[in-house]
Amino acid sequence: MAEWQRTHTCGQLRTEHVGQTVTLNGWVLITRTYGNQVFVDLRDRYGLTQVVFEADAADLFKEGKELGREWVVSITGLVRNRLPGAERTDIATGTVEVEAKVLRVLNACPQLPFSVTEFPDEELPNEDLRLQYRYLDLRRRSIQRVLTQRHKVCKTIRDFMDANGFLEVETPLLGKSTPEGARDYLVPSRVFNGEFFALPQSPQLYKQLLMISGYDRYFQIARCLRDEDLRADRQPEFTQLDVEMSFVEREDVLAVMEELSADIFEKCLGVKIPTPFPRLSYAEAMAKYGSDKPDLRFGLEIVDVSDIAAASDAQFMKAALETPGAVVRAINAKGAAATFSNTQLKPGGELPKVAETYKAKGLAWMKAESGKLTGSIEKFFTDELKAKLRERLGVADGDLLLFVADKEAVVCDALGAMRTHLAAKMKLYQNWWEEKAAHDEAQKKKVDAAKKRKELYAPVPFQPRPEHFNFLWVLDFPMFGWDEEEKRFAAMHHPFTAPMDEDLQHLAKDEDLGKVRAKAYDLVLNGYEVGGGSIRIHRQDVQSRVFQILGMEAADAQARFGFLLDALKSGAPPHGGIALGLDRWCMILAGTTNIRDVIAFPKNQRARDLMTGAPAAVDARQLKELGVKLG
């Protein structure tokens, strides 16, 4: 071992190491110079150790004063106790320090584009700058904790799946383009000019083929790529836990995933999640919450008032109800009458803008005040109809009633978004990391107060609780949805999802396709879809009919999916599975709403890697080899 190599990490030293000579390697977090001492906080991914340079070693003392932030050093020294009153209870090494005897500078560092220290008074630079210098951003302690936890999540998954008889099998990254849903990322072939591989949007077909091959319990922590518009919880390349099982029904898949979910939360966050998870049908979720991934940490249920509206003199509501499939629904925001002014409720105000973003033509409202209903549409309702509204919506003084009249899909979208907007505005729930921030601030004040009294106070760590996390299964999705643009039916999940057995009869008639329900299921956590799957079609005749419904002629289906259709005729067992979005899981476990925070090298919101400059132009020779012409 070289003289400069470490004997211990910067998070390892304790009282029992006092008197030992050790060598530490790491980065200089900060230096503090006094008359006869220089204190250096030395950091690696394991923790922080205080190193002291004493003035009686003049040359070493001088070298210590010259150290700068983020210099990479090796320090050999003697472990000793800190002076009474100088201990730190907020770090594991806080009772000891290292008296430096030898300093080796392994790499000096110029001033960096931004600080990575994360002191409370330091603001983070903008995200684009941090992504440009991601190798520096990754030094931040908070990101190191997140990536360490991500590793723990993956290890927990692998241990659980192995213990339950699953085999981890890798599937190809270079496959065939079978465009359904999002756009593929294409890779041109050098050997076969004019032909392309597609990067996997998921391992869906491969895992089904594994079931047909007899590997009855498969999993993979798989990399997937989709060329789609980005947002805070979506990346062009992402990771999912991919699972498939043979000879199962829906209940078998759900039971395994609930057990895995509970295992992840207990081992990675110390939270015991109760099982089984609640369930809602797709129809119930949309009717009550306006979303197929509702957040149930708060109420604000949506209520149908179409019959009451139809009997009123509100012409805009009655006109809307003349359209087939139109409804009038309402939310009672309990106690919110004083929260939102009439200006915020009138056209152009805060709440109408939320509804209009989702194509609603407007937002009607009433307030319950002093035993009366007042507001924009009160005059159109008789006392009898007002009494019915009060009863159906559970109205009390101080409540705010919000109405949308339109096609059902528009009403669901508008009131679903309104529901989440109201909950955030009215603080009807608190994310666990927000509660943690308040807790940590209170603990810091106690530590500071104890220091003033020259006492020690060990801060109490925050512990998330089960009520911070609301799991939910959404079941019984429609198998098909009507695509207005294409004027044809499209698969609600993917074209390999099996119909409910009792709905197989409806596949035969085009006019009955809206009645077909799928053996599909989504796992929802705090309003995020964190998993989705289905029981698959294992009969070739049913799969061929589904392809036909989706607009594929027999020859087209054979060209795209002939290998699957042939495999389904070769002894395909009943099978089904699910994929969990690992990045979203890690995002929630880490306490952030930005998926880029839990990925080591993410793309920005325009799918560009600001650090490497990808995507980038390539030279003409490469394009010629690939047979690709631009323009």
Side-chain angles (χ1 to χ4, degrees):
M1 187 172 89
E3 289 183 348
W4 58 266
Q5 286 185 287
R6 69 187 176 195
T7 60
H8 298 77
T9 71
C10 293
Q12 199 171 354
L13 300 180
R14 302 290 189 273
T15 304
E16 58 265 29
H17 295 101
V18 169
Q20 295 183 20
T21 297
V22 301
T23 298
L24 304 179
N25 298 165
W27 288 260
V28 174
L29 179 69
I30 193 170
T31 61
R32 302 178 302 280
T33 302
Y34 298 95
N36 58 354
Q37 288 180 316
V38 175
F39 292 92
V40 173
D41 286 346
L42 193 66
R43 179 199 80 236
D44 61 16
R45 77 174 176 92
Y46 303 96
L48 182 77
T49 297
Q50 178 171 281
V51 179
V52 186
F53 293 81
E54 299 286 1
D56 54 10
D59 291 342
L60 192 60
F61 181 73
K62 181 181 177 183
E63 290 176 17
K65 291 199 316 187
E66 293 172 353
L67 292 175
R69 285 191 181 188
E70 299 306 304
W71 284 31
V72 184
V73 299
S74 172
I75 295 175
T76 300
L78 184 68
V79 183
R80 68 188 191 188
N81 286 313
R82 290 198 188 200
L83 292 174
E87 301 98 332
R88 287 182 61 177
T89 56
D90 58 331
I91 60 173
T93 60
T95 60
V96 298
E97 61 191 14
V98 173
E99 180 185 352
K101 300 298 183 182
V102 179
L103 168 65
R104 302 176 183 90
V105 175
L106 303 179
N107 210 330
C109 182
Q111 186 171 346
L112 299 178
F114 55 85
S115 171
V116 300
T117 52
E118 290 191 308
F119 289 133
D121 58 342
E122 288 182 330
E123 286 190 16
L124 284 176
N126 71 70
E127 187 179 50
D128 279 357
L129 183 64
R130 286 184 282 119
L131 290 179
Q132 182 182 352
Y133 296 96
R134 186 63 168 175
Y135 50 88
L136 296 178
D137 198 41
L138 287 170
R139 292 184 191 173
R140 289 195 291 123
R141 189 68 182 144
S142 60
I143 293 187
Q144 290 180 342
R145 281 195 296 266
V146 166
L147 293 183
T148 300
Q149 186 183 58
R150 183 177 178 125
H151 160 79
K152 192 171 183 179
V153 171
C154 291
K155 184 179 186 304
T156 300
I157 288 170
R158 285 193 164 98
D159 290 346
F160 176 91
M161 301 305 280
D162 179 64
N164 283 274
F166 287 83
L167 295 177
E168 184 169 14
V169 182
E170 295 172 347
T171 53
L173 290 177
L174 296 174
K176 183 179 181 181
S177 178
T178 54
E180 281 291 332
R183 292 178 291 272
D184 287 328
Y185 279 102
L186 300 177
V187 179
S189 169
R190 178 186 59 80
V191 179
F192 302 101
N193 276 190
E195 298 182 8
F196 295 81
F197 295 105
L199 300 179
Q201 295 190 31
S202 79
Q204 180 62 47
L205 295 178
Y206 290 110
K207 68 180 180 180
Q208 287 191 244
L209 294 172
L210 283 170
M211 296 302 103
I212 296 169
S213 301
Y215 296 86
D216 66 316
R217 286 198 159 200
Y218 143 93
F219 85 99
Q220 181 182 185
I221 295 178
R223 298 290 287 162
C224 306
L225 300 101
R226 292 178 187 170
D227 186 5
E228 57 188 349
D229 295 333
L230 304 187
R231 58 192 186 206
D233 66 339
R234 181 186 286 170
Q235 279 276 289
E237 51 182 318
F238 57 95
T239 306
Q240 67 183 37
L241 168 63
D242 206 47
V243 178
E244 199 78 4
M245 304 162 64
S246 292
F247 304 109
V248 293
E249 276 290 358
R250 181 179 74 185
E251 296 304 316
D252 302 298
V253 179
L254 269 53
V256 170
M257 288 301 103
E258 288 183 356
E259 190 179 346
L260 172 62
S261 300
D263 198 42
I264 291 171
F265 267 78
E266 183 168 2
K267 289 179 178 173
C268 299
L269 209 59
V271 177
K272 288 185 179 290
I273 297 294
T275 59
F277 298 158
R279 300 181 180 193
L280 283 177
S281 70
Y282 170 85
E284 189 178 6
M286 296 302 292
K288 286 187 175 182
Y289 305 105
S291 171
D292 61 0
K293 49 180 186 296
D295 190 339
L296 300 189
R297 289 176 296 171
F298 53 90
L300 293 178
E301 284 191 12
I302 299 168
V303 179
D304 194 291
V305 293
S306 299
D307 56 329
I308 301 174
S312 74
D313 293 327
Q315 292 304 314
F316 71 96
M317 289 183 173
K318 299 177 82 167
L321 288 170
E322 291 175 4
T323 303
V327 293
V328 180
R329 290 178 181 164
I331 290 176
N332 179 3
K334 302 294 293 181
T339 304
F340 297 97
S341 68
N342 290 1
T343 301
Q344 289 172 292
L345 293 164
K346 289 177 180 177
E350 176 186 340
L351 296 190
K353 283 181 179 178
V354 173
E356 289 161 11
T357 299
Y358 294 86
K359 300 183 180 178
K361 297 180 181 67
L363 180 73
W365 59 276
M366 292 188 204
K367 289 182 176 181
E369 299 171 311
S370 304
K372 297 180 180 180
L373 292 178
T374 63
S376 66
I377 58 170
E378 172 270 330
K379 60 187 176 184
F380 300 124
F381 289 77
T382 64
D383 289 344
E384 182 182 356
L385 292 177
K386 290 176 188 174
K388 288 184 177 180
L389 282 176
R390 282 181 170 277
E391 181 180 1
R392 188 168 301 179
L393 293 170
V395 178
D397 273 0
D399 292 350
L400 171 64
L401 314 181
L402 302 170
F403 303 81
V404 174
D406 215 308
K407 293 180 181 178
E408 184 173 22
V410 172
V411 172
C412 287
D413 287 347
L415 287 181
M418 184 68 65
R419 181 176 172 270
T420 56
H421 181 86
L422 290 169
K425 187 86 174 184
M426 297 166 64
K427 301 187 185 305
L428 299 184
Y429 66 93
Q430 190 173 35
N431 290 311
W432 73 264
W433 55 87
E434 294 168 336
E435 189 174 327
K436 178 181 183 299
H439 169 92
D440 290 349
E441 181 60 29
Q443 290 296 303
K444 182 180 179 299
K445 288 179 180 178
K446 289 184 178 181
V447 169
D448 291 344
K451 280 183 179 178
K452 288 182 180 178
R453 298 192 302 268
K454 296 186 177 181
E455 298 173 356
L456 284 178
Y457 175 79
V460 179
F462 178 80
Q463 178 57 52
R465 302 182 301 280
E467 58 266 29
H468 287 125
F469 306 99
N470 182 265
F471 278 99
L472 169 72
W473 287 112
V474 179
L475 313 171
D476 302 335
F477 283 81
M479 187 154 177
F480 305 106
W482 182 253
D483 188 325
E484 284 289 349
E485 201 171 294
E486 297 285 333
K487 301 299 180 187
R488 65 175 177 88
F489 280 102
M492 284 285 283
H493 276 68
H494 55 60
F496 317 109
T497 299
M500 300 287 278
D501 294 339
E502 57 268 35
D503 293 345
L504 271 171
Q505 58 182 324
H506 300 311
L507 281 180
K509 298 180 181 178
D510 289 350
E511 60 268 25
D512 288 345
L513 293 177
K515 301 176 183 177
V516 183
R517 293 165 300 152
K519 292 183 179 180
Y521 33 83
D522 279 359
L523 182 58
V524 179
L525 173 55
N526 292 357
Y528 287 99
E529 180 194 329
V530 294
S534 66
I535 300 301
R536 322 302 186 188
I537 298 169
H538 71 282
R539 285 171 41 189
Q540 190 266 358
D541 59 328
V542 176
Q543 187 66 76
S544 294
R545 171 57 180 154
V546 170
F547 285 155
Q548 181 187 40
I549 291 167
L550 298 176
M552 279 184 247
E553 297 295 335
D556 187 22
Q558 188 65 32
R560 290 190 188 187
F561 302 107
F563 61 94
L564 175 66
L565 293 172
D566 290 344
L568 291 176
K569 291 187 294 185
S570 305
H575 59 282
I578 193 169
L580 302 185
L582 187 67
D583 305 303
R584 287 186 187 174
W585 276 75
C586 291
M587 185 179 76
I588 293 169
L589 288 165
T592 177
T593 56
N594 186 344
I595 207 165
R596 293 183 290 279
D597 290 343
V598 300
I599 298 172
F601 296 101
K603 306 294 187 290
N604 72 355
Q605 289 182 312
R606 298 184 63 196
R608 182 175 288 282
D609 183 340
L610 296 178
M611 183 180 68
T612 67
V618 298
D619 62 44
R621 179 182 59 81
Q622 288 177 281
L623 294 177
K624 185 177 179 180
E625 286 180 344
L626 294 168
V628 174
K629 294 182 180 179
L630 300 180

